[in-house]
Amino acid sequence: KTPLQGIIGSAELLENGMVKQEDVPRFVGHIRKEAQRLVTLIGDIIRLSQLESREVAYEKEQVELLGICKRVIARLEHAAQRRGITFHLAGTAGKFWGVDQVVDEIVYNLCDNAIKYNKENGQVTVLVSETQEQVVLTVEDTGIGIPSEEVERIFERFYRVDKSHSRAIGGTGLGLSIVKHGAAYHKAKIEVNSTVGEGTAISVIFPKS
């Protein structure tokens, strides 16, 4: 309800003439920003619902994981640059049978988190590796890390490791839930390795068939 409360509060002040004329653009901008947060949140909830219920029948095709990673990194480059974070991408093509849109969302949410929970001027390493039977995506950051007792909970809806800065960090708190259900859709496994204060590496292991 937080975005709605922000929208309603600003709208009421404007409606009652309690905002100075020179401050109107700032309040209107706040309403737009909160409305966009709400649209993003609703979109994530819908995607999560679709993945959980499998109500959408996705067509599987031969996807190339390295190409998807390049596409995602290009979309996130601006957000990374704002914090001085550098992306490093390496690996093989990583072809397997999957759903391009869902794999894209898995990569996007892992990389987006790696930016948000990283340190200023940090690094995000994206690695694609494969064997005859599986393709592995690993996204590693140089960020705040996750306490061992919280690792089991990070894929829960709305769960955040750094609760004190959740609003400043942004996002909906649903990114890793989408990763979890997207991986389950592909019968993929997830592994998490993290050290507090040093960073986190999350791997998604996709079967090739």
Side-chain angles (χ1 to χ4, degrees):
K1 296 191 299 185
T2 304
L4 277 177
Q5 289 167 343
I7 291 167
I8 292 168
S10 294
E12 284 179 345
L13 290 172
L14 288 166
E15 184 181 33
N16 295 327
M18 297 175 69
V19 179
K20 294 178 181 178
Q21 191 60 38
E22 60 267 29
D23 291 332
V24 168
R26 180 166 60 86
F27 277 78
V28 172
H30 179 70
I31 290 173
R32 182 198 58 76
K33 183 179 177 181
E34 292 300 299
Q36 185 57 56
R37 281 186 65 206
L38 189 59
V39 168
T40 303
L41 177 61
I42 291 169
D44 280 356
I45 290 171
I46 290 171
R47 296 293 303 116
L48 198 52
S49 175
Q50 289 172 336
L51 287 169
E52 281 184 325
S53 64
R54 300 191 176 225
E55 62 187 46
V56 177
Y58 295 105
E59 191 72 32
K60 284 194 174 184
E61 58 184 334
Q62 183 100 139
V63 298
E64 184 185 312
L65 186 54
L66 192 68
I68 292 173
C69 291
K70 289 178 182 177
R71 189 170 74 202
V72 167
I73 290 171
R75 297 209 308 268
L76 287 169
E77 197 65 51
H78 183 63
Q81 286 175 353
R82 284 202 305 265
R83 301 196 61 215
I85 291 168
T86 305
F87 269 105
H88 296 284
L89 173 64
T92 56
K95 293 181 179 180
F96 65 97
W97 286 97
V99 181
D100 185 279
Q101 179 187 347
V102 177
V103 176
D104 183 287
E105 288 172 357
I106 290 171
V107 178
Y108 182 92
N109 281 296
L110 288 177
C111 290
D112 188 43
N113 265 20
I115 294 171
K116 288 174 181 171
Y117 293 96
N118 215 322
K119 298 171 184 173
E120 296 291 327
N121 303 312
Q123 293 184 351
V124 176
T125 301
V126 182
L127 177 65
V128 178
S129 59
E130 59 186 306
T131 65
Q132 287 187 337
E133 298 179 350
Q134 60 192 29
V135 174
V136 182
L137 165 71
T138 301
V139 178
E140 184 173 5
D141 63 56
T142 54
I144 62 174
I146 306 165
S148 57
E149 66 272 15
E150 296 192 43
V151 169
E152 293 292 323
R153 301 195 62 192
I154 62 172
F155 296 97
E156 295 176 10
R157 295 184 183 199
F158 303 113
Y159 190 79
R160 294 180 187 270
V161 173
D162 189 358
K163 300 172 187 64
S164 61
H165 296 90
S166 62
R167 187 172 179 82
I169 289 170
T172 63
L174 293 172
L176 288 183
S177 291
I178 291 173
V179 170
K180 173 186 173 181
H181 289 283
Y185 194 90
H186 287 85
K187 295 182 173 58
K189 298 177 182 178
I190 301 177
E191 294 180 354
V192 181
N193 290 291
S194 186
T195 303
V196 174
E198 294 185 15
T200 300
I202 299 180
S203 297
V204 184
I205 305 160
F206 298 93
K208 281 192 172 181
S209 57

